[in-house]
Amino acid sequence: MADRLYAGGEDYQKEFHPGDYLRTYYAFDSGPVAENEILKFNLENLFQTFSAGGVGGDVLIDIGSGPTVYQLLSACEAFREIIVTDYLEQNLRELQRWLSGEPGAYDWSPAVQSRWREKEARLRKAVTRLLQCDVTKPHPLEPAQVPPADCVLTLLALESACPDVAAYRAAVRALVGLLKPGGHLVAMAALRSQHYMVGAKKFFGLHLEKETVEQAVQEAGCQVLRCDHRRLSYSEACSINEGVCFVVARKGPAP
Ligand SMILES: C[S@@+](CC[C@H](N)C(=O)[O-])C[C@H]1O[C@@H](n2cnc3c(N)ncnc32)[C@H](O)[C@@H]1O
């Protein structure tokens, strides 16, 4: 049914198809301009954070990775080990296909301007684990055991997974709980979301204001170092939102 709004665990398991998601949002130059603009916004902010901005260390955990790796292209230069996670087996399988270089795995080479082979090898080496996660749980990665992270990264996942703002705040707290003191939370959100399309299926998106994101991060015990807020929106056929924000925060009180 085209008009049904899918939300929550079981819907994701049955209806979220990684191939449809990738073709909709990561078609690069052949895709809609708005989607490419948001991808560019993310790649630039990720580069600024991990390559120029000095956020680095031993362990980075990416929460709600989906079937994508673009978010790790700068981070793999700054961390010894990357743990990717998602709610869905099918997304983890898609990631594993790319990591193993299987035929038919998604082509991420257009996301990098030069020396793709080196970048690909570096990222494949950095990713050490693929874990199931559920951000609606207080310990999203249990029963897996993970070391306290130097960085927790999450893009476009919490507003898909959380049914309301209270759940969103709890999820941010749970993510901050995975960090070492002094570690960094790096979070990107689509603002004022209503829904997003995966193929012909419509999935729920939580309405978040920029202030809600910043407050949730602060209430979880982090200091916001940077918040890049732009009036970028997806093309209407793909998603309804107004604006995006990219937040870099540090766990611990303000100095
Ligand atoms: C819009 S996609 C974002 C994927 C990727 N991070 C990106 O930037 O394109 C939303 C992701 O959230 C995941 N997700 C949904 N519910 C979740 C939950 N309860 N816990 C963790 N991830 C969840 C979905 O499986 C999906 O991969």
Side-chain angles (χ1 to χ4, degrees):
M1 276 203 306
D3 264 359
R4 198 184 140 189
L5 186 61
Y6 294 103
E10 220 176 291
D11 280 354
Y12 266 89
Q13 279 160 5
K14 286 202 196 124
E15 311 292 349
F16 188 102
H17 299 299
D20 288 342
Y21 180 72
L22 290 168
R23 276 186 294 276
T24 308
Y25 297 96
Y26 301 102
F28 297 98
D29 287 343
S30 61
V33 173
E35 279 60 36
N36 283 324
E37 285 296 310
I38 293 177
L39 178 59
K40 203 165 139 234
F41 167 81
N42 281 333
L43 289 171
E44 284 171 0
N45 265 298
L46 290 158
F47 179 80
Q48 191 177 338
T49 304
F50 297 120
S51 300
V55 174
D58 278 337
V59 178
L60 175 142
I61 305 175
D62 182 31
I63 296 287
S65 306
T68 72
V69 300
Y70 74 92
Q71 69 276 23
L72 306 171
L73 293 168
S74 290
C76 73
E77 309 289 344
F79 291 87
R80 199 175 47 79
E81 183 182 345
I82 291 177
I83 299 172
V84 295
T85 73
D86 200 73
Y87 185 73
L88 294 179
E89 275 298 320
Q90 60 262 39
N91 283 340
L92 296 177
R93 272 200 304 275
E94 185 70 34
L95 287 173
Q96 187 58 65
R97 281 173 54 175
W98 185 83
L99 290 168
S100 318
E102 284 178 31
Y106 204 68
D107 178 14
W108 289 102
S109 61
V112 172
Q113 268 145 23
S114 63
R115 304 172 93 170
W116 168 246
R117 289 285 165 212
E118 274 171 50
K119 178 63 85 179
E120 176 180 58
R122 173 122 199 145
L123 178 51
R124 285 183 172 142
K125 191 155 168 267
V127 176
T128 53
R129 296 169 79 184
L130 294 88
L131 298 177
Q132 211 270 334
C133 91
D134 185 348
V135 299
T136 64
K137 304 250 168 76
H139 300 285
L141 300 177
E142 272 187 354
Q145 302 271 332
V146 292
D150 299 280
C151 181
V152 169
L153 175 68
T154 188
L155 288 89
L156 297 165
L158 300 187
E159 63 272 41
S160 309
C162 299
D164 54 37
V165 169
Y168 176 78
R169 291 203 184 104
V172 172
R173 277 200 301 277
L175 265 48
V176 172
L178 297 169
L179 282 173
K180 284 180 187 167
H184 290 87
L185 176 69
V186 178
M188 181 268 173
L191 300 172
R192 299 186 180 175
S193 243
Q194 293 177 28
H195 68 254
Y196 70 104
M197 303 300 291
V198 179
K201 314 259 167 70
K202 198 184 264 187
F203 282 78
F204 169 81
L206 178 63
H207 181 115
L208 290 171
E209 299 287 348
K210 165 185 168 278
E211 292 73 20
T212 320
V213 175
E214 287 177 310
Q215 274 165 18
V217 169
Q218 282 159 354
E219 280 166 21
C222 290
Q223 183 201 355
V224 175
L225 305 179
R226 190 160 74 78
C227 178
D228 187 359
H229 173 220
R230 308 268 180 94
R231 298 168 70 87
L232 293 171
S233 302
Y234 287 100
S235 57
E236 255 179 59
C238 293
S239 179
I240 301 294
N241 81 300
E242 275 175 46
V244 292
C245 74
F246 190 101
V247 173
V248 180
R250 188 175 177 277
K251 182 173 180 174

